[in-house]
């Protein structure tokens, strides 16, 4: 029988909080139940936000929590050769193009052509300004100006099966709606590779069979499935667990300092107590899959 593998993949952009611990506990419990291997990957590709002292603290906090992972910890910041090769493959297949737009110029273009601006600033529609620049002109500008690599969704949709979908733990297929996708950024000058590119390369390289992560990342899964198809990588099964909320119904987030593992440790909470509490939360909210999340 082949080995099942999952991973916990935090980003060291701040101190680990209870919401992260919840995710880690869910990954660990799933791995125990399935006799699967659990890997730990530090997603520190964004050097503008990730800090080494947060990585060190994160390891300490996870050890305190009792997370047991398989093999060496993997750091994305040490794996750029793999991401470079993937970027090169997309470039050679005409699936990415350089984009010289700034946030400001995109907003101006949107206003000029009368596109409705998006309420979510991270989801601003891209008006396609640099999509069809003449290759020679683009090459000259690349020498002079900073740029981002964008995925050419139209070219991409011609290279993949129109019925592309991703699978969940029940074997249910969710279609990837290519018509709703933007020309997303895959690399930038300051952060050479996007989270989307790095994560699909790493999941394939580590032989991850099941990706277990929070509901908040569900909207990234179609993008990941598309990149897997374009890079001819295997696609794992995706399990999106519910997120932990505080008693007032607010989602626990990094900005809420009172729920960091560090502050819980300092207040004298025992890791066993926290583990049990999080398992109970997961069971009560059916965080993972209906009814069968035993303690
Ligand atoms: N690094 C991501 C985060 O901390 C998780 C990525 C993933 O599980 O795919 O939100």
């Amino acid at each position: 029988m082949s080995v099942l593998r999952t991973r916990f993949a935090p980003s060291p952009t701040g101190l680990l909080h209870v919401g992260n611990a919840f995710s880690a506990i869910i990954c660990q419990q799933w791995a125990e139940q399935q006799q699967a291997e659990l890997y730990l990957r530090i997603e520190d590709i964004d050097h503008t936000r990730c800090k080494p002292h947060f990585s060190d603290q994160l390891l300490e906090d996870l050890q305190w929590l009792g997370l047991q992972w398989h093999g060496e910890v993997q750091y994305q910041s040490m794996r750029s050769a793999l991401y470079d090769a993937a970027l090169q493959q997309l470039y050679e297949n005409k699936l990415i193009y350089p984009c010289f737009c700034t946030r400001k110029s995109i907003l101006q273009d949107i206003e000029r052509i009368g596109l409705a601006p998006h309420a979510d600033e991270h989801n601003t529609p891209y008006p396609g300004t640099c999509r069809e620049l003449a290759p020679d002109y683009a090459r000259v500008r690349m020498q002079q100006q900073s740029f981002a690599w964008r995925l050419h969704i139209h070219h991409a949709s011609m290279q993949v099966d129109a019925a592309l979908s991703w699978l969940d733990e029940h074997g249910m297929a969710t279609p990837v709606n290519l018509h709703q996708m933007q020309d997303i950024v895959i690399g930038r000058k300051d952060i050479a590779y996007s989270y989307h590119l790095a994560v699909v390369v790493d999941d394939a390289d580590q032989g991850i069979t099941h990706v277990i992560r929070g509901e908040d990342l569900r909207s990234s899964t179609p993008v990941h499935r598309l990149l897997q198809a374009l890079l001819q990588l295997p696609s794992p099964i995706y399990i999106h667990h519910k997120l932990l909320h505080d008693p007032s119904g607010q989602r626990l987030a990094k900005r809420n300092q009172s729920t960091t593992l560090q502050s819980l440790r300092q207040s004298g909470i025992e890791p066993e107590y926290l583990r049990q509490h999080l398992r109970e939360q997961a069971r009560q909210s059916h965080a993972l899959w209906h009814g069968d999340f035993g303690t």
Side-chain angles (χ1 to χ4, degrees), residues 207-223:
I208 299 301
T209 60
H210 291 71
V211 169
I212 303 173
R213 59 187 180 193
E215 269 289 335
D216 54 328
L217 289 169
R218 183 183 284 270
S219 60
S220 295
T221 303
V223 176

Side-chain angles (χ1 to χ4, degrees), residues 23-73:
S23 216
I25 289 289
I26 285 178
C27 288
Q28 172 134 311
Q29 196 160 7
W30 182 89
E32 280 165 9
Q33 286 175 348
Q34 306 291 323
Q35 294 176 335
E37 290 172 357
L38 169 64
Y39 283 78
L40 178 61
R41 180 192 309 149
I42 308 288
E43 299 207 323
D44 56 351
I45 202 84
D46 179 351
H47 60 86
T48 63
R49 294 173 61 227
C50 298
K51 303 290 167 217
H53 66 274
F54 287 136
S55 295
D56 296 343
Q57 186 62 47
L58 192 148
L59 288 182
E60 210 181 299
D61 286 344
L62 290 176
Q63 270 154 0
W64 172 81
L65 183 67
L67 194 79
Q68 283 170 354
W69 56 86
H70 190 89
E72 299 279 309
V73 180

Side-chain angles (χ1 to χ4, degrees), residues 45-190:
I45 202 84
D46 179 351
H47 60 86
T48 63
R49 294 173 61 227
C50 298
K51 303 290 167 217
H53 66 274
F54 287 136
S55 295
D56 296 343
Q57 186 62 47
L58 192 148
L59 288 182
E60 210 181 299
D61 286 344
L62 290 176
Q63 270 154 0
W64 172 81
L65 183 67
L67 194 79
Q68 283 170 354
W69 56 86
H70 190 89
E72 299 279 309
V73 180
Q74 196 175 61
Y75 291 83
Q76 284 190 327
S77 54
M78 296 170 78
R79 296 164 55 80
S80 43
L82 282 176
Y83 314 136
D84 257 337
L87 205 58
Q88 183 66 22
Q89 190 180 337
L90 293 174
Y91 179 71
E92 281 165 11
N93 291 324
K94 301 195 176 0
L95 292 164
I96 51 174
Y97 61 88
C99 169
F100 305 93
C101 298
T102 59
R103 178 169 289 281
K104 195 168 154 205
S105 76
I106 290 176
L107 290 173
Q108 283 165 349
D109 285 346
I110 288 174
E111 208 178 293
R112 194 169 42 78
I113 56 178
L115 269 178
H118 204 285
D120 172 2
E121 63 159 335
H122 299 294
N123 244 334
T124 310
Y126 179 64
T129 317
C130 298
R131 192 180 293 131
E132 304 299 343
L133 296 180
D136 287 346
Y137 171 70
R139 262 193 292 277
V140 172
R141 268 184 89 172
M142 281 164 72
Q143 308 299 321
Q144 301 163 346
Q145 225 180 311
S146 72
F147 62 93
W149 289 112
R150 280 189 186 270
L151 193 64
H152 197 308
I153 285 291
H154 181 61
H155 287 177
S157 60
M158 292 192 301
Q159 292 197 18
V160 298
D161 188 339
L164 189 69
S165 60
W166 57 267
L167 288 180
D168 71 10
E169 71 276 29
H170 307 293
M172 210 178 89
T174 301
V176 173
N177 192 343
L178 293 164
H179 301 294
Q180 278 180 3
M181 278 195 192
Q182 301 271 350
D183 285 6
I184 52 157
V185 170
I186 289 293
R188 296 198 332 226
K189 188 164 187 211
D190 52 348

